[in-house]
Amino acid sequence: MHIGRISSFQSLGTVDGPGVRYVVFMQGCSLRCKCCHNPETWDMHGGREYTVQEIMKRIERCKSYFGSDGGVTVSGGEPLLQAKFVAQLFQLCKQSGISTCLDTSGCIINDDVKELLRFTDTVLLDYKSTDPKAYKNFCGMDMQTADDFLLLLDKMHINTYLRQVIIKGFTDSDENARRLFEIASAHECVKKTELLPFRKMCAAKYEKLGIPFPLKDTEETPTSVIERLYALIYTA
Ligand code: SF4
């Protein structure tokens, strides 16, 4: 039985995949996205250890709320760092008729990750930017890795939501939105493109942890910008 290191849980989440979902936030991340709203998940040794059975018990208690669309989402942190554990959890979920969703940056491709994807119904792929240089500078990861991951999702026919945080001066241009739409259109697995407004509710977490928040002076993104970009990509 695998042991997983977990940061926290959310019983009835509605923004992390289809329907109502039980969300597991894994502990540990090797990236440092400038807009990260969960810096408490970065430390590989933080959080608490749980067995897959302990998590399944929690999930089963919420099962009646999932309806036809909902289920379990594993987020983080970066779930791919604990791929074996998440694979076992998802396998048990599938055996119980619970749908599975993975919220990831797509930063690792190996056999354990491929095995995990076999039990994954939906992937929320956090696609940070459409500019390779800006991508690397923003989170420390090569855009090519995200592209390779997206290609793998396409090959495996896994429903994918392509997600991007819209940040002033970084991802709020028309050009970026058009490119994102082109990337989405070029992959059959992408069922939805989600533009998420940058918010600063996480600033207090950074302060508490004593970590500088790189975007503390960046304005939050107004809904009107998100609407403008959606209008652009859906009328393209
Ligand atoms: S990949 Fe996710 S958890 Fe890791 S730094 Fe980026 S936003 Fe934060």
Side-chain angles (χ1 to χ4, degrees):
M1 181 62 63
H2 289 295
I3 305 280
R5 196 163 268 281
I6 287 161
S7 175
S8 63
F9 304 95
Q10 189 186 359
S11 299
L12 300 170
T14 54
V15 294
D16 296 292
V20 172
R21 311 198 71 86
Y22 189 87
V23 188
V24 181
F25 294 92
M26 302 302 292
Q27 184 72 31
C29 186
S30 50
L31 302 187
R32 292 294 179 265
C33 304
K34 290 189 178 21
C35 71
C36 181
H37 53 268
N38 293 330
E40 75 281 9
T41 65
W42 290 350
D43 180 3
M44 303 281 185
H45 306 288
R48 221 202 91 184
E49 288 185 335
Y50 292 85
T51 64
V52 169
Q53 291 302 357
E54 284 174 308
I55 311 293
M56 274 311 288
K57 262 192 207 152
R58 287 168 172 254
I59 293 169
E60 294 279 1
R61 284 202 292 264
C62 294
K63 199 175 168 181
S64 59
Y65 296 100
F66 295 157
S68 53
D69 295 336
V72 169
T73 294
V74 174
S75 181
E78 177 48 72
L80 301 185
L81 290 171
Q82 302 187 69
K84 275 191 175 163
F85 173 83
V86 184
Q88 196 174 36
L89 179 68
F90 277 8
Q91 189 173 8
L92 291 176
C93 287
K94 298 302 296 169
Q95 282 166 11
S96 291
I98 297 169
S99 104
T100 58
C101 177
L102 185 70
D103 181 7
T104 180
S105 65
C107 65
I108 302 169
I109 300 174
N110 59 24
D111 288 346
D112 290 343
V113 168
K114 287 179 190 165
E115 178 70 4
L116 160 60
L117 291 174
R118 283 184 52 225
F119 304 109
T120 304
D121 294 317
T122 305
V123 168
L124 311 177
L125 181 62
D126 225 343
Y127 199 86
K128 318 287 180 187
S129 165
T130 58
D131 176 80
K133 256 194 196 162
Y135 208 109
K136 179 91 176 174
N137 179 44
F138 184 74
C139 66
M141 164 182 162
D142 285 326
M143 187 171 138
Q144 187 60 52
T145 309
D147 287 338
D148 291 345
F149 196 84
L150 183 55
L151 215 56
L152 177 65
L153 297 177
D154 215 30
K155 269 193 201 145
M156 293 181 75
H157 307 290
I158 298 178
N159 284 347
T160 301
Y161 291 9
L162 199 62
R163 298 178 123 192
Q164 192 168 87
V165 181
I166 301 302
I167 303 168
K168 189 175 183 186
F170 177 59
T171 45
D172 65 341
S173 71
D174 293 4
E175 195 195 346
N176 174 71
R178 282 200 191 96
R179 274 206 301 259
L180 187 66
F181 184 64
E182 276 166 23
I183 292 166
S185 308
H187 298 84
E188 254 182 56
C189 66
V190 177
K191 305 299 175 205
K192 210 172 179 182
T193 304
E194 290 190 326
L195 309 180
L196 313 172
F198 168 62
R199 294 283 179 258
K200 291 202 279 193
M201 283 174 307
C202 57
K205 290 189 190 177
Y206 281 88
E207 212 173 306
K208 200 171 154 202
L209 291 165
I211 302 172
F213 180 31
L215 299 184
K216 76 173 172 22
D217 297 325
T218 303
E219 286 169 30
E220 292 196 335
T221 305
T223 312
S224 57
V225 170
I226 303 294
E227 286 169 354
R228 173 176 63 78
L229 297 174
Y230 270 133
L232 192 79
I233 59 180
Y234 286 120
T235 52

